[in-house]
Amino acid sequence: MGEDAVLEARRRLGRIGVGLMTPLAPAEEWRRAARRVEDAGYGSIWVNEGIGGREVFTQLGVMLAATERIVLGSAIANLWARHPAAMQGAASVLADAYPGRFALGVGVSMGAIVEQSGQAWRSPLARMRGYLDAMDAAVEAAPKPEVPFPRLLAALGPKMQALAGERADGMLPAMMPVEHTRRARELLGPDKLLIALQPVILETDPGKARAIARQAGAFSIPGSPYIGALKKLGFSDADLADGGSDELIDACFVRGDEAGVAKGVEAYLDAGADHVCVSVFQPDLASSADQFERLAPYLLHG
């Protein structure tokens, strides 16, 4: 962790990566999708995690082995899914095996997911701070990668963002308006990584695009961290009701044709993001890769 990890990550990541968030699929489908994304020229692939099911470090290992240069990252590795020493050890093993090609994103998830796993939800900030202490205590027992890997925190609110600035190499805010990125960069300063995880919708009809966005359901989950973060940006309870007002949906989701999506993503880079990870709403990995290939000439070379 430190300046070397940040500089190396910026160099390797480039400006645009993708998120592959399909919950379940055979390993070979993940390998094929990863190779297609790499061949299209993207700088990174990020994979999410709940508790159980698709374990993120195993998943990333499958994809790292199937590719040659692209960076693979956890967005996020759920701290409720493993002991902090296991988090440090797993990250160090992958970073050692694939120098410069691994990034660790850590997050507290949300209460509903944690309680479904049989665990008791408690203060996310205190939980994260103690977890990072335990990770740091486990560093000496873990492999020593040749290239340091960046440690990033999923951070939406100002307190978690401040912790990311203090104890990590940067942050991974997700599905937030451009203004959130601008404020996050001001808080972090210039020396930390800011990676925006941004869903995009290849649809020019506003009504159809908003309907797709509302299916995500991120603003209706009880205790969702998105709700508090959006209220701090000035959105009201009315904006958050019924899947989100048109204004909120338009602020949190990039939509349009290929050129329109590229323009929307560029706004996050202009606001201070080092790297934008775009994700799409598709039912399977193959169709997700189709859309990433369509977008690549506009996002990467536009």
Side-chain angles (χ1 to χ4, degrees):
M1 189 174 74
E3 183 179 356
D4 289 346
V6 171
L7 293 174
E8 181 67 13
R10 281 180 172 150
R11 184 181 73 82
R12 289 179 178 269
L13 286 168
R15 287 160 41 97
I16 307 293
V18 311
L20 290 176
M21 307 301 181
T22 302
L24 292 174
E28 186 52 35
E29 291 185 19
W30 285 96
R31 294 185 187 103
R32 284 197 297 266
R35 286 191 289 263
R36 289 177 65 183
V37 168
E38 181 174 60
D39 289 345
Y42 291 95
S44 68
I45 299 171
W46 300 80
V47 181
N48 64 344
E49 178 184 50
I51 302 174
R54 192 187 65 233
E55 197 278 331
V56 72
F57 292 108
T58 309
Q59 185 69 63
L60 293 171
V62 169
M63 298 164 75
L64 282 161
T67 52
E68 295 180 359
R69 58 144 193 97
I70 199 165
V71 176
L72 272 291
S74 58
I76 48 86
N78 191 329
L79 61 75
W80 294 90
R82 60 188 58 80
H83 189 280
M87 180 83 80
Q88 183 66 35
S92 298
V93 166
L94 288 181
D96 179 53
Y98 300 95
R101 295 186 57 207
F102 173 74
L104 175 65
V106 181
V108 293
S109 186
M110 61 182 73
I113 293 174
V114 172
E115 289 170 1
Q116 285 175 3
S117 75
Q119 302 178 81
W121 174 256
R122 61 183 177 85
S123 168
L125 189 68
R127 171 71 172 166
M128 178 64 84
R129 188 179 294 277
Y131 196 92
L132 295 175
D133 289 342
M135 284 184 67
D136 290 346
V139 167
E140 291 306 314
K144 305 298 186 291
E146 175 187 344
V147 179
F149 63 88
R151 182 170 79 182
L152 309 162
L153 303 189
L156 297 179
K159 292 181 180 179
M160 191 66 79
Q161 290 177 342
L163 184 63
E166 174 191 345
R167 299 292 304 280
D169 296 306
M171 69 175 77
L172 287 161
M175 206 161 51
M176 286 284 110
V178 171
E179 178 60 23
H180 186 273
T181 298
R182 186 174 294 108
R183 295 185 188 186
R185 175 51 74 194
E186 290 176 359
L187 188 152
L188 276 179
D191 299 326
K192 299 283 185 175
L193 283 171
L194 177 53
I195 298 177
L197 309 176
Q198 184 57 40
V200 305
I201 303 170
L202 262 175
E203 174 56 64
T204 57
D205 182 280
K208 291 180 180 179
R210 290 169 183 148
I212 293 169
R214 289 187 177 103
Q215 291 174 8
F219 310 132
S220 58
I221 300 171
S224 168
Y226 297 102
I227 294 173
L230 289 166
K231 284 186 174 180
K232 285 183 174 66
L233 291 172
F235 290 97
S236 66
D237 288 332
D239 286 314
L240 290 157
D242 302 319
S245 66
D246 288 353
E247 180 185 5
L248 184 145
I249 294 297
D250 290 347
C252 293
F253 296 83
V254 171
R255 61 174 166 83
D257 60 10
E258 290 88 344
V261 165
K263 182 177 179 181
V265 169
E266 188 72 27
Y268 286 84
L269 295 165
D270 290 343
D274 291 293
H275 188 74
V276 179
C277 165
V278 299
S279 60
V280 296
F281 294 97
Q282 291 295 307
D284 55 62
L285 291 164
S287 54
S288 295
D290 288 342
Q291 288 211 347
F292 291 134
E293 287 172 346
R294 282 178 56 189
L295 285 166
Y298 299 85
L299 290 173
L300 304 177
H301 313 298

